[in-house]
Amino acid sequence: MAIFFIVFFKLDGFPFRLWDESMFAVNAYEMQENGQYGLPYFNGEIDSRQTKPLLLTWIHLGFIKVFGFNELAIRLPSAIAAGTTIVALFYFLRKNGNAILSWIGAIILLTSLGFVTFHTGRTGDSDALLTLFTTLSCLHFINWLLKEQGKYLIYTAVFIGLGIMTKSFAAIIFILPFTLLAFWFKRKATLALFKAKEIYFAIGILLLSAFIAFGLREIAEPGFIQRTFYKDAGRLFDTVENHAQSWDFYINHIFYSRFDFWTPLFFLGAALAFIYPFPNQNLTLIFQSAFIIFAAYLLVITLSSTKLIWYDMPLYPLMAIVAATPIYILLEKLALNLNYQVIAILVFALIPLRKAFFNAQSNTMNEANKKVEALGIYLHAKSKQNKYESFTIWHQGYLGTLLCYKYMYDAAGANITIKYTNDFSKGEKVLVADEKLKLKLISTHVVDTLEYNKNVLLTQIK
């Protein structure tokens, strides 16, 4: 129930976000319309800006066929992925620890503010799906460290492969700490893998995933691999689209706001993972592995020249495991019966749960984003009132959100035209948000003001 209210409740209560949700939505809608399942399209043309693999777009396409084209259809895959990640973490900790540890870890993850917000668990971007797959790969790899059964390496490869098919190089980063952990904890077993068929099967899965993600697109669109290496892998060494930040960008955001309440417990848990004598040695390996994978991924994105705040989402499941350590130890030391332990956890989690709910439901944008996304805010509000009107939008920026609502309004029987130029006819209704365009419209045409608010002007040409 907590997952429903924090992750799913009023999922369509805010407009399509400009970056990058609207891009994924347009790609999926146009794929449905043109039947081109191997290429993303945007405004009727191949979307060369979109260098991410198409797995999420295919998933969006399926949800559009079921729910129609709207905010809910585009966001449900991310919400389901976020919810599934929480459930997967719960069952992993329950199987390898106990019920109390599983509840602690799941609650910490659910109430991590950076895990359920814009561009993560509540919008139609690729990060929630990536996080599901990377988390499952981490959990299965730790299972291999615990049990040395080849099937867990195959499961690890499957989910890394799905991660590659979701967000390409972001998933590949996890192979680095996996390799380190394998030689650190299981050197003999790791060396023996070179004689085991499972490792070659796993490698084959990764190569097949890479071919689906890159090879098929290269066949359909020659030059794609070169472009995606420059734009995606190149983010490690060059600043892409002016997304340069200070070296401590992620550290500040994670520990001072996005992990919020749980930050002190994370640092305490990180220390305890290496110094506390756990009676169950499996827990020692789990806590240490989670911290090492966390540290490796954080190091890579910190050293990357291009930094965006949502790149941190795969870290939160790992941080939840580490932050659960002190609470778990405390409750074990207190030796309370199970009912009292559950009550203690719920009381302790009440404030974080409340804060997570209101954070998820606030859907607040800063003033700068409200101006940039003013047209989307207006069109969303009208659609929720079932007031679908026909008019022209004069806009000279990125069209992602506007195309989303154009398609929605068209399906409702209205007609939205998007124009770049100041070429309007008598009687034409014109919607505009940019301040310079507003002034130019008023100075070059005689208009009647039909609607005006802080950011949007709707007029009719006289």
Side-chain angles (χ1 to χ4, degrees), residues 246-451:
S246 63
W247 71 270
D248 57 350
F249 174 75
Y250 292 111
I251 294 172
N252 288 333
H253 280 283
I254 291 170
F255 295 121
Y256 290 102
S257 62
R258 288 166 71 82
F259 204 53
D260 192 45
F261 188 83
W262 307 111
T263 293
L265 292 176
F266 172 80
F267 285 111
L268 181 57
L272 290 170
F274 291 91
I275 64 174
Y276 184 79
F278 292 96
N280 181 351
Q281 287 300 303
N282 284 351
L283 292 180
T284 302
L285 189 149
I286 290 169
F287 294 141
Q288 290 181 2
S289 297
F291 178 79
I292 290 170
I293 299 170
F294 157 84
Y297 189 83
L298 178 61
L299 179 64
V300 171
I301 63 174
T302 295
L303 294 177
S304 173
S305 296
T306 300
K307 295 180 176 67
L308 287 162
I309 194 167
W310 49 83
Y311 288 179
D312 67 0
M313 190 180 180
L315 293 173
Y316 293 108
L318 301 165
M319 296 180 73
I321 294 173
V322 176
T325 309
I327 306 175
Y328 168 74
I329 293 174
L330 176 62
L331 291 176
E332 287 288 297
K333 290 290 186 181
L334 292 175
L336 302 173
N337 67 45
L338 183 60
N339 290 335
Y340 285 121
Q341 291 188 59
V342 171
I343 292 172
I345 292 170
L346 291 175
V347 170
F348 189 69
L350 188 61
I351 294 175
L353 284 167
R354 181 180 183 277
K355 188 170 183 178
F357 172 75
F358 284 108
N359 177 72
Q361 293 302 310
S362 64
N363 302 322
T364 54
M365 303 181 196
N366 59 41
E367 289 302 316
N369 283 336
K370 285 180 181 178
K371 287 185 177 181
V372 172
E373 303 189 42
L375 292 169
I377 294 170
Y378 176 87
L379 295 169
H380 168 78
K382 292 297 182 182
S383 70
K384 290 304 175 185
Q385 299 167 10
N386 287 318
K387 294 181 179 179
Y388 295 98
E389 300 180 43
S390 299
F391 44 72
T392 296
I393 298 175
W394 187 20
H395 185 68
Q396 295 180 342
Y398 184 66
L399 297 180
T401 304
L402 301 186
L403 287 175
C404 289
Y405 287 109
K406 172 180 168 57
Y407 300 147
M408 283 182 61
Y409 276 56
D410 288 351
N415 179 35
I416 288 183
T417 302
I418 303 172
K419 288 186 177 180
Y420 288 94
T421 61
N422 188 17
D423 180 21
F424 306 114
S425 305
K426 183 178 179 179
E428 191 171 1
K429 292 182 180 179
V430 181
L431 182 69
V432 62
D434 183 84
E435 293 300 325
K436 292 182 179 179
L437 297 185
K438 289 178 187 176
L439 293 174
K440 191 170 182 179
L441 177 65
I442 294 171
S443 65
T444 57
H445 293 81
V446 179
V447 301
D448 282 333
T449 298
L450 303 179
E451 190 172 347

Side-chain angles (χ1 to χ4, degrees), residues 110-315:
L110 177 61
T111 56
S112 300
L113 301 184
F115 187 74
V116 187
T117 185
F118 289 146
H119 220 299
T120 56
R122 282 179 60 85
T123 52
D125 307 281
S126 57
D127 299 272
L129 192 64
L130 169 72
T131 298
L132 170 63
F133 294 144
T134 57
T135 300
L136 289 172
S137 71
C138 290
L139 301 184
H140 282 299
F141 185 77
I142 293 173
N143 271 330
W144 178 80
L145 293 175
L146 292 171
K147 302 168 185 177
E148 297 182 22
Q149 296 179 12
K151 66 179 181 179
Y152 291 114
L153 283 182
I154 294 174
Y155 298 153
T156 301
V158 167
F159 290 114
I160 286 290
L162 289 170
I164 291 171
M165 293 168 60
T166 302
K167 206 173 178 182
S168 62
F169 301 102
I172 296 174
I173 294 172
F174 284 84
I175 296 175
L176 172 65
F178 289 171
T179 304
L180 174 64
L181 287 170
F183 280 98
W184 181 270
F185 288 115
K186 302 289 180 178
R187 183 176 178 82
K188 289 184 179 180
T190 301
L191 293 174
L193 283 175
F194 292 101
K195 298 179 181 180
K197 62 182 179 180
E198 288 88 353
I199 190 65
Y200 298 103
F201 193 47
I203 292 171
I205 291 171
L206 294 176
L207 292 175
L208 176 61
S209 301
F211 176 73
I212 294 172
F214 304 114
L216 293 179
R217 179 86 175 265
E218 178 69 21
I219 293 170
E221 185 187 359
F224 168 75
I225 291 178
Q226 181 180 359
R227 188 170 69 252
T228 194
F229 264 85
Y230 168 75
K231 186 175 179 182
D232 292 344
R235 291 169 185 252
L236 288 170
F237 310 105
D238 294 307
T239 301
V240 176
E241 297 173 350
N242 298 316
H243 293 303
Q245 303 290 346
S246 63
W247 71 270
D248 57 350
F249 174 75
Y250 292 111
I251 294 172
N252 288 333
H253 280 283
I254 291 170
F255 295 121
Y256 290 102
S257 62
R258 288 166 71 82
F259 204 53
D260 192 45
F261 188 83
W262 307 111
T263 293
L265 292 176
F266 172 80
F267 285 111
L268 181 57
L272 290 170
F274 291 91
I275 64 174
Y276 184 79
F278 292 96
N280 181 351
Q281 287 300 303
N282 284 351
L283 292 180
T284 302
L285 189 149
I286 290 169
F287 294 141
Q288 290 181 2
S289 297
F291 178 79
I292 290 170
I293 299 170
F294 157 84
Y297 189 83
L298 178 61
L299 179 64
V300 171
I301 63 174
T302 295
L303 294 177
S304 173
S305 296
T306 300
K307 295 180 176 67
L308 287 162
I309 194 167
W310 49 83
Y311 288 179
D312 67 0
M313 190 180 180
L315 293 173

